[in-house]
Amino acid sequence: MAIKLFLLMTLLSHVASSFSEWCHPQDKMALLQIKKELNNPIILSSWKSNTDCCKTSWNGVTCFPSNNRVSELTITDDNNLITSKFPLSVGNLSYLESLSFYHLPNLTGPIPIKSISELFKLKTLIITRTGMSGTIPNFPAQMEQLTYLDLSSNHFSGKLPYYLYKLPKLGVISFHDNFLTGPIPPSYGYFNNKNTPTLFFSHNQLSGRLPISLSRLINPTVIEFSYNKFEGDASMLFGSNKTTREIYLSQNMFKFDLGKVELPKTLTALEVSHNQIYGKLPLGIENLYPLNVSYNNLCGKIPKGGYIHLSDVTSFFHNKCLCGSPLPSCK
């Protein structure tokens, strides 16, 4: 009798263990519905109802080992076979921390903010190189864990969302290569300064003057505003008290005295070509590479030393009166 009881308990233990390894029924149901909403693409053929979405190889699915809830979902399609709208059932993956949809040129429609805003634990949202369009919504403040927001290389248009500054942990905002218009909102100067986000806004149709509130941003690692229609002063992006490492402002209509700015001591790269910037080259510019100040109205002598020898004539030409190597010598 004792032997039978031992065998029964062992069997029940194995059964309980196997059940504990299965992904959560709600997550499995959500994933299968996502597959259906994406029109059952062949790249998701591993998503089968009779297999375990956590313990078997469901393409693009990662689970927490502690509770077998889905933690990451990545869907990409190099063969461009997915043709659908963004799947609304993503919002049912309540433990999701990372969501990535990329290289999906036939994924269309707007961002379903009502669905995505249900993901309170989400830290990373990547929607890039898709056919999605419409405006970029204001992500609600309750998505307070969001740290990485990449919506680059899509067809989004309209203005920049005003209330992003209310997301306290946001560390990267990448909206480059879209069709965004209008100015940068003054609210973008009020991000949490303990974690000022890196800003990638290049290759859009953004315009107007930069808000003076951007002077409050102390530590964005990269500022990338190139290839837009900005104008006026951009000197508030500089300052010896900042910890910015790279600044890219090329192909705009900025007009300010570069000689009066103080470069961040941490700055390693500066590209401001094709603007209307004037004045002398600022102190410390010889320590920057890459460096490009061409097609402006700058004057004065190009300093020696540092990394200047790494920059060729194309980094300096087409200015009002710059001189010195690698340009002709000063008279």
Side-chain angles (χ1 to χ4, degrees), residues 4-5 10 16 40 76 86 93 98 128 139 141 156 229 245 252 260 281 288 298 319 322:
K4 289 183 178 179
L5 183 60
T10 302
N40 299 304
T76 181
F86 194 96
L93 296 171
S98 177
T128 182
F139 292 84
F156 296 126
K229 299 177 182 179
R245 298 177 65 179
N252 281 285
K260 291 185 178 181
L281 296 178
L288 306 183
L298 296 165
N319 271 287
L322 277 183

Side-chain angles (χ1 to χ4, degrees), residues 244-292:
T244 308
R245 298 177 65 179
E246 301 175 31
I247 297 178
Y248 302 99
L249 306 177
S250 297
Q251 297 282 350
N252 281 285
M253 294 178 286
F254 287 121
K255 187 175 183 179
F256 63 97
D257 189 342
L258 187 63
K260 291 185 178 181
V261 307
E262 292 185 342
L263 301 179
K265 293 181 175 61
T266 53
L267 196 66
T268 61
L270 177 65
E271 295 189 1
V272 296
S273 67
H274 293 84
N275 281 285
Q276 301 169 29
I277 299 170
Y278 57 92
K280 297 180 179 181
L281 296 178
L283 184 68
I285 202 167
E286 67 274 11
N287 298 319
L288 306 183
Y289 185 81
L291 172 67
N292 194 335

Side-chain angles (χ1 to χ4, degrees), residues 152-167:
S152 61
S153 301
N154 296 293
H155 299 276
F156 296 126
S157 58
K159 297 182 178 181
L160 293 168
Y162 188 88
Y163 292 104
L164 286 184
Y165 75 101
K166 292 190 174 184
L167 300 175

Side-chain angles (χ1 to χ4, degrees), residues 183-200:
I184 294 178
S187 61
Y188 281 37
Y190 294 90
F191 284 102
N192 181 355
N193 256 332
K194 293 181 180 179
N195 192 40
T196 305
T198 289
L199 302 174
F200 294 101

Side-chain angles (χ1 to χ4, degrees), residues 24-238:
H24 194 280
Q26 176 183 326
D27 290 354
K28 188 170 187 176
M29 185 182 301
L31 289 170
L32 292 174
Q33 183 60 29
I34 289 169
K35 178 182 177 181
K36 182 178 179 181
E37 291 172 13
L38 292 173
N39 297 319
N40 299 304
I42 191 170
I43 63 167
L44 301 183
S45 59
S46 60
W47 294 19
K48 298 178 181 178
S49 59
N50 62 345
T51 60
D52 185 339
C53 66
C54 290
K55 300 303 181 183
T56 57
S57 298
W58 280 37
N59 184 26
V61 177
T62 303
C63 300
F64 290 111
S66 58
N67 59 10
N68 288 341
R69 301 303 299 258
V70 175
S71 61
E72 299 180 20
L73 177 61
T74 300
I75 297 179
T76 181
D77 178 16
D78 291 334
N79 295 316
N80 303 338
L81 298 178
I82 290 182
T83 302
S84 72
K85 303 284 188 181
F86 194 96
L88 300 181
S89 295
V90 160
N92 295 326
L93 296 171
S94 54
Y95 280 73
L96 202 64
E97 288 190 350
S98 177
L99 176 61
S100 300
F101 278 60
Y102 66 92
H103 203 287
L104 301 169
N106 298 317
L107 185 73
T108 58
I111 295 174
I113 188 59
K114 185 176 181 180
S115 177
I116 289 179
S117 63
E118 296 294 325
L119 304 175
F120 299 132
K121 298 180 182 294
L122 197 66
K123 296 179 179 179
T124 298
L125 176 60
I126 299 174
I127 302 173
T128 182
R129 298 176 66 190
T130 77
M132 294 183 67
S133 58
T135 59
I136 296 177
N138 279 296
F139 292 84
Q142 54 264 40
M143 294 183 70
E144 59 183 15
Q145 300 303 316
L146 194 63
T147 61
Y148 191 99
L149 178 59
D150 183 357
L151 304 178
S152 61
S153 301
N154 296 293
H155 299 276
F156 296 126
S157 58
K159 297 182 178 181
L160 293 168
Y162 188 88
Y163 292 104
L164 286 184
Y165 75 101
K166 292 190 174 184
L167 300 175
K169 296 184 179 180
L170 200 55
V172 173
I173 304 174
S174 183
F175 292 163
H176 67 82
D177 289 286
N178 279 289
F179 299 93
L180 301 174
T181 56
I184 294 178
S187 61
Y188 281 37
Y190 294 90
F191 284 102
N192 181 355
N193 256 332
K194 293 181 180 179
N195 192 40
T196 305
T198 289
L199 302 174
F200 294 101
F201 294 166
S202 67
H203 294 84
N204 278 285
Q205 298 171 23
L206 297 169
S207 61
R209 302 177 69 87
L210 300 185
I212 192 63
S213 61
L214 294 187
S215 63
R216 301 182 72 257
L217 301 182
I218 301 299
N219 60 348
T221 304
V222 180
I223 294 175
E224 168 56 283
F225 291 171
S226 298
Y227 292 90
N228 280 289
K229 299 177 182 179
F230 292 123
E231 59 187 61
D233 191 6
S235 62
M236 78 287 291
L237 302 176
F238 299 85

